Amino acid sequence: MHTTVGIIGGGPSGLLLARLLHQAGIDSVVLESRDRAYVERRQRAGILEQATVDALRAAGAGARLDAEGLPHDGIELRHDGRATRIDFPALTGGRRVWVYAQTEVVKDLVALQLAEGGPLHFEAEVTAVEGADTDRPLVRYTHEGREQILTCDYVVGCDGYHGVTRNAVPETGRRTFERTYPYSWLGILAEAPPVYDELIYAHSERGFALASMRSPSVSRLYLQVPNGTDPADWPDERVWDELDARLSLTADPGWRLTRGTVTQKAVLPMRSSVTEPMSHGRVFLAGDAAHIVPPTGAKGLNLAAADVIVLARAFAHHAKTGSTELLDAYSDTCLRRVWRAEHFSYFMTTTLHADPAQSPFDTRLQQSQLDRIAGSPHAAAELAENYTGLPLDS
């Protein structure tokens, strides 16, 4: 079998790329190692930037998002028992974000691909990508018990940091920059209405906490915990009590989260990673295959979407003009945005978390930075502009 673009990975970036290529009249095949049920249940990001929402709407995947997604015009920062709201539209010229879970984005894109797009093969495990430097790279994979080969004009790896596509870029030709943070997040999903209609980010000497949501009846909440934490050491009541303590307000000492049944609980490591370049020959890396950010800045899914939007435009330009100019520039174009998002995610993470090794001096620096954001429209605007997402052409 042959296709113009072979896409490895049926997560949101791979599926969005396939949809954008379909709209441009470019054929593709998507290979996903997991089954459909797993892909559509996989819990990941929940915040969509303005540019991501615009792209999903343009791709025909915005109907349910518009009906069920929760538009947010700001976030609340809490520190020293005080609360500061960051008003996104007022500070960014109208931009906002949406709460709409990655699981729902994937469901929408899967449905579109199966109804209108090219082949989407679940349980298709890719074992190798070969010939990146040739004009016809090939993908070896196993599907329905048989080893198969897909030849392509181009291959795009949307298969994550541990996927096989990264290996198609020679180790001598790539460099990876990484940072591992000395703490993790304990995340829970609970059948409980959110206590506030926007996200709450809290800095505390006890550690970071985040109150988020997935719907008007489901809360998504996080606590900073030491690396290596076992979720079993955190019974539900302990989690709720600690969330209340870290999110508390001096002006409202009776403030409490609405408690409910915890349906999921997991520990998420915190790390940053960027691989350069994001392409080699006719193989391109997108999303987690090229970069990882800590979730504090809500950038992971949005960076992946930005990658494939840039790449789809480059493929469409090539199909129309025969020029590889935009394809050749793909890595440099994306890396400028990637490093900006990495820096913002680092800023949010190190400003809001309590490093186990930090001194009282370090804590006061964090408090000073948060005071600056609370008191300066310029500092608040910088946060808002990065959080809602810089324009794709920037």
Side-chain angles (χ1 to χ4, degrees):
M1 180 167 55
H2 180 79
T3 188
T4 301
V5 182
I7 302 171
I8 303 174
S13 57
L15 292 166
L16 179 57
L17 176 60
R19 179 63 182 174
L20 296 174
L21 293 178
H22 172 75
Q23 289 182 311
I26 300 169
D27 61 289
S28 68
V29 173
V30 182
L31 303 175
E32 166 56 47
S33 63
R34 301 284 193 165
D35 62 47
R36 179 178 178 179
Y38 178 91
V39 170
E40 293 185 340
R41 289 197 308 264
R42 186 165 44 195
Q43 290 290 334
R44 292 290 188 273
I47 302 294
L48 304 182
E49 294 176 1
Q50 181 79 59
T52 303
V53 170
D54 292 344
L56 289 169
R57 287 171 173 161
R64 210 157 60 89
L65 187 161
D66 287 329
E68 301 175 19
L70 305 176
H72 280 200
D73 286 340
I75 59 172
E76 185 172 281
L77 295 180
R78 293 188 177 183
H79 75 290
D80 293 335
R82 297 178 287 132
T84 301
R85 182 174 182 270
I86 309 299
D87 186 330
F88 291 157
L91 294 165
T92 65
R95 295 207 304 277
R96 50 171 39 173
V97 297
W98 276 255
V99 173
Y100 190 64
Q102 176 174 312
T103 51
E104 306 312 307
V105 174
V106 168
K107 289 174 187 175
D108 295 340
L109 291 170
V110 165
L112 277 173
Q113 184 71 9
L114 294 177
E116 303 174 12
L120 165 56
H121 297 306
F122 293 104
E123 300 181 85
E125 185 175 358
V126 174
T127 55
V129 176
E130 301 173 5
D133 291 318
T134 70
D135 61 2
R136 184 160 288 204
L138 63 85
V139 179
R140 298 186 185 275
Y141 67 103
T142 302
H143 185 235
E144 297 179 341
R146 295 189 298 116
E147 292 186 359
Q148 302 191 46
I149 293 176
L150 174 68
T151 60
C152 319
D153 294 340
Y154 298 93
V155 176
V156 180
C158 302
D159 50 343
Y161 183 86
H162 298 291
V164 302
T165 315
R166 285 168 52 87
N167 295 327
V169 180
E171 288 188 17
T172 55
R174 71 175 190 258
R175 186 177 182 188
T176 300
F177 304 84
E178 295 184 295
R179 171 185 287 270
T180 300
Y181 295 86
Y183 33 72
S184 300
W185 277 9
L186 173 66
I188 67 167
L189 200 64
E191 294 177 351
V195 72
Y196 188 59
D197 58 3
E198 294 174 343
L199 273 64
I200 303 172
Y201 287 77
H203 172 275
S204 161
E205 291 190 6
R206 302 174 69 101
F208 170 76
L210 169 62
S212 182
M213 64 204 71
R214 285 294 178 266
S215 75
S217 61
V218 177
S219 291
R220 184 72 162 153
L221 303 125
Y222 299 94
L223 285 170
Q224 175 188 341
V225 294
N227 286 341
T229 291
D230 184 347
D233 293 335
W234 284 80
D236 296 355
E237 186 174 0
R238 182 187 179 192
V239 173
W240 289 114
D241 288 347
E242 189 64 22
L243 283 164
D244 282 339
R246 297 188 191 184
L247 291 162
S248 63
L249 288 169
T250 302
D252 186 7
W255 186 94
R256 294 291 184 272
L257 289 163
T258 304
R259 300 190 178 193
T261 302
V262 175
T263 57
Q264 290 186 19
K265 188 184 299 180
V267 171
L268 315 172
M270 306 279 283
R271 58 189 289 256
S272 300
S273 174
V274 179
T275 295
E276 297 184 358
M278 290 173 56
S279 62
H280 176 76
R282 293 199 172 202
V283 172
F284 300 87
L285 304 179
D288 286 359
H291 42 74
I292 295 170
V293 291
T296 327
K299 293 292 149 217
L301 172 57
N302 295 293
L303 270 185
D307 289 346
V308 299
I309 292 168
V310 170
L311 193 52
R313 290 174 179 173
F315 280 127
H317 179 75
H318 176 254
K320 183 177 180 179
T321 68
S323 169
T324 63
E325 178 185 4
L326 297 185
L327 289 171
D328 295 339
Y330 166 74
S331 181
D332 289 341
T333 300
C334 288
L335 283 171
R336 286 192 295 272
R337 186 183 188 86
V338 167
W339 280 112
R340 176 86 298 276
E342 289 282 359
H343 185 270
F344 176 68
S345 299
Y346 167 83
F347 165 78
M348 290 287 285
T349 301
T350 56
T351 300
L352 291 166
H353 290 72
D355 190 313
Q358 79 182 39
S359 67
F361 182 88
D362 299 323
T363 301
R364 292 303 295 269
L365 289 178
Q366 290 176 317
Q367 293 168 341
S368 174
Q369 181 61 59
L370 291 166
D371 285 341
R372 169 70 176 165
I373 294 169
S376 166
H378 300 293
E382 176 69 11
L383 190 156
E385 287 176 358
N386 281 277
Y387 197 100
T388 57
L390 300 176
L392 282 173
D393 295 331
S394 67

